[in-house]
Amino acid sequence: MQITKYEHACLVLEKQGQRVVIDPGFYTRPMSDLQGVQAIVITHMHDDHCYEEQLDRILSNNPTAKIYGTDEVCQRLSSYQTIAVHHGDFYTDGNFTLEFFGDMHAEIHRSIPLIQNCGVLVDSELYYPGDSFTTPDQPIKVLACPTSAPWLKISEVMDFVAAVKPRRCFATHNAHLSDVGHDLNNGRVKQVVEAHGGSFEFLKPGDTATI
């Protein structure tokens, strides 16, 4: 499986000519040229993860792609064909398996209502938690780790990585960071990953990694 990191929180996974797109939001470049998309996973309904213009671009070339999302995502996308997902759900779609974890977005502030969030584990190998620190109940080969957001502080990220103990880890959800910010936060994550015997990679938009 090949992983391509796009801007901010968006990932495109490819295997045997088929693709899964995760969280194509408005911080991500226009995605008008993708082919072979089997599924689109949207972890929650915030615009940086769920953006109708991006979905329309993807679906124009992949009209049969399924959209998986929380109940709130499905309500927002009521004009689209969607599949509501919840903690513990497991699907096979094309060459991929999708398993979902967690229920709620991390707290931004007590004055801001919580929304739903579901992390996703693809092929029992790549885990992306969306906007949460939900820890899966199984070993993780590759963790896509959020490193910048209004809802996180780096100590919480470090604790999350220490709990997951991934064999490999790369940074995502990081459009908010400057080059200095990337260096700082990536260094903290790298420290924890390596302390547990794993390896850390900094993928910039357009970079790929292979499992």
Side-chain angles (χ1 to χ4, degrees):
M1 181 166 63
Q2 186 177 69
I3 306 162
T4 301
K5 186 193 185 304
Y6 280 66
E7 291 78 10
H8 194 50
C10 182
L11 305 174
V12 176
L13 316 179
E14 181 178 356
K15 186 171 65 173
Q16 299 172 353
Q18 297 184 354
R19 291 181 170 92
V20 170
V21 181
I22 300 176
D23 283 354
F26 75 81
Y27 288 153
T28 302
R29 74 187 73 172
M31 305 180 75
S32 56
D33 57 353
L34 289 181
Q35 303 286 340
V37 177
Q38 300 296 302
I40 303 166
V41 176
I42 301 177
T43 61
H44 62 283
M45 66 175 184
H46 284 159
D47 288 347
D48 57 330
H49 299 253
C50 178
Y51 189 47
E52 285 83 350
E53 288 185 20
Q54 288 283 34
L55 291 174
D56 291 343
R57 294 181 187 112
I58 297 169
L59 292 171
S60 67
N61 293 323
N62 305 275
T64 62
K66 297 175 185 174
I67 301 173
Y68 298 86
T70 65
D71 292 328
E72 291 171 340
V73 166
C74 294
Q75 291 168 11
R76 170 172 172 165
L77 302 178
S78 60
S79 63
Y80 297 76
Q81 291 189 334
T82 59
I83 298 171
V85 297
H86 309 90
H87 178 79
D89 285 353
F90 185 94
Y91 291 89
T92 298
D93 201 321
N95 294 326
F96 298 91
T97 61
L98 307 171
E99 188 172 358
F100 294 91
F101 292 86
D103 300 296
M104 302 303 292
H105 192 288
E107 183 181 72
I108 299 171
H109 187 265
R110 61 183 178 274
S111 66
I112 300 174
L114 293 177
I115 66 168
Q116 296 173 331
N117 180 94
C118 250
V120 61
L121 177 63
V122 182
D123 287 358
S124 299
E125 293 187 318
L126 171 73
Y127 179 61
Y128 174 59
D131 283 12
S132 80
F133 295 120
T134 300
T135 303
D137 59 356
Q138 54 190 282
I140 296 300
K141 185 172 183 179
V142 180
L143 172 65
C145 179
T147 57
S148 175
W151 50 269
L152 65 74
K153 59 182 180 180
I154 199 62
S155 62
E156 296 172 328
V157 176
M158 294 169 73
D159 287 342
F160 171 64
V161 173
V164 176
K165 299 180 180 64
R167 290 165 55 189
R168 294 172 63 185
C169 178
F170 66 91
T172 190
H173 203 283
N174 51 9
H176 308 100
L177 293 175
S178 65
D179 289 341
V180 173
H182 286 303
D183 289 343
L184 176 62
N185 286 12
N186 290 345
R188 297 300 187 191
V189 175
K190 182 175 185 287
Q191 173 188 348
V192 178
V193 172
E194 291 181 349
H196 293 280
S199 62
F200 176 82
E201 303 163 73
F202 178 37
L203 300 181
K204 297 181 180 181
D207 287 350
T208 62
T210 301
I211 301 176

